[in-house]
Amino acid sequence: MLRVLAVDDEEPALGELLYLLRADPRVRTAEGAGDATAALRRIGRALETGPDGDEGIDVVFLDIHMPGLTGLDVARLLAGFARPPHIVFVTAHEGFALQAFDLKAVDYVLKPVRRERLGEAVRRVHELVHATAAPAAPAAPEQIPVELGGVTRFVPVDEIAYVEAHGDYARLHTDQGSHLVRIPISTLEERWAARGFVRIHRSHLVALGRIDELRLDSGATSVRIGDTDLAVSRRHARHLRDLLMRRAGG
């Protein structure tokens, strides 16, 4: 069961959040803090005793707009520790999802908080904490926030087969569908290079491990990913072939 700290400078919002959290059977304890300073004091005690200590905290449900330090400031401070608690942002503002992504937030819940949506965030944290406690658990997958009908969801990067450029936006293609995010494809190319994503065209970035076929037809190169054919520009063709050959051990 989870040990939770909820942080919000608005007392009614904090009271409602704590009420909903304490009603969730996966939550063991839920404490409240009315500002970032009080939250950092409490988190400091948790970090001193460690995640298995009596003062441990598994997750912080964190408002963004607060006097003094913001929720984003608190998350940046916690990112410097070896084993900080997980972060879930709870905010009335939709425009900070990218910062949440960069700060490795587990989820991003919009106010007014709905019981079902909060339950989904608790579920995500519960699964991560359980996986961390398992003897040989893999690291939590990197995720990217996407907007779906006013709800922000986090899509694992490992589920993305390829990315299509749309000006300052990018469309992420997965086996379950596609999602438009306000991030240039060049930013994703740099960020995900270490995860095996390769630029094959000014319009496409692909996951190397998702390429099923490499085709050469009348001097034109293309790749097949599932049922989709994507053109490979001349400037990227040789580099892509070399990468695929090395991956195959050839």
Side-chain angles (χ1 to χ4, degrees):
M1 296 176 68
L2 298 175
R3 299 159 298 176
V4 178
L5 176 65
V7 188
D8 199 313
D9 64 305
E10 297 179 1
E11 189 173 340
L14 179 60
E16 176 68 11
L17 182 57
L18 286 171
Y19 171 78
L20 293 174
L21 287 168
R22 288 166 180 163
D24 193 302
R26 292 161 295 196
V27 174
R28 185 202 307 177
T29 59
E31 304 175 51
D35 56 48
T37 301
L40 286 172
R41 255 196 317 264
R42 177 63 185 89
I43 295 168
R45 297 203 307 272
L47 292 172
E48 285 176 7
T49 61
D52 299 322
D54 294 337
E55 299 277 359
I57 294 173
D58 299 305
V59 56
V60 181
F61 283 78
L62 190 57
D63 188 22
I64 288 182
H65 279 299
M66 295 184 290
L69 292 175
T70 69
L72 294 171
D73 294 328
V74 172
R76 290 188 188 101
L77 288 171
L78 294 182
F81 290 89
R83 297 180 66 186
H86 296 290
I87 296 290
V88 172
F89 285 109
V90 182
T91 177
H93 304 275
E94 297 183 10
F96 296 98
L98 285 181
Q99 289 94 320
F101 165 61
D102 287 335
L103 291 168
K104 304 294 189 294
V106 175
D107 212 337
Y108 191 90
V109 179
L110 291 176
K111 297 178 179 178
V113 177
R114 295 182 293 109
R115 183 188 299 269
E116 296 79 8
R117 181 66 184 90
L118 187 65
E120 172 67 13
V122 171
R123 181 193 66 78
R124 289 173 182 268
V125 177
H126 189 267
E127 288 182 356
L128 283 174
V129 170
H130 178 74
T132 302
E142 183 181 347
Q143 299 172 316
I144 184 168
V146 299
E147 294 293 332
L148 297 170
V151 175
T152 302
R153 297 199 181 278
F154 287 74
V155 175
V157 174
D158 292 342
E159 293 182 5
I160 298 168
Y162 67 96
V163 181
E164 183 180 1
H166 282 265
D168 290 335
Y169 291 74
R171 183 168 292 281
L172 314 176
H173 292 266
T174 71
D175 294 336
Q176 289 73 41
S178 67
H179 312 281
L180 193 66
V181 295
R182 192 172 183 176
I183 309 175
I185 195 172
S186 57
T187 299
L188 296 178
E189 177 186 9
E190 180 180 350
R191 184 177 291 171
W192 293 347
R195 303 186 69 86
F197 280 80
V198 179
R199 193 73 169 264
I200 64 167
H201 191 277
R202 61 186 176 87
S203 299
H204 290 109
L205 177 71
V206 304
L208 201 63
R210 298 295 294 271
I211 295 176
D212 299 313
E213 295 178 0
L214 176 69
R215 298 181 174 182
L216 184 63
D217 185 15
S218 301
T221 305
S222 65
V223 294
R224 175 171 281 268
I225 298 177
D227 296 327
T228 303
D229 291 318
L230 300 174
V232 181
S233 67
R234 289 185 178 180
R235 62 177 296 216
H236 293 104
R238 180 164 185 168
H239 178 58
L240 177 64
R241 284 197 299 270
D242 291 344
L243 287 174
L244 288 171
M245 291 299 290
R246 285 203 296 269
R247 185 179 181 88

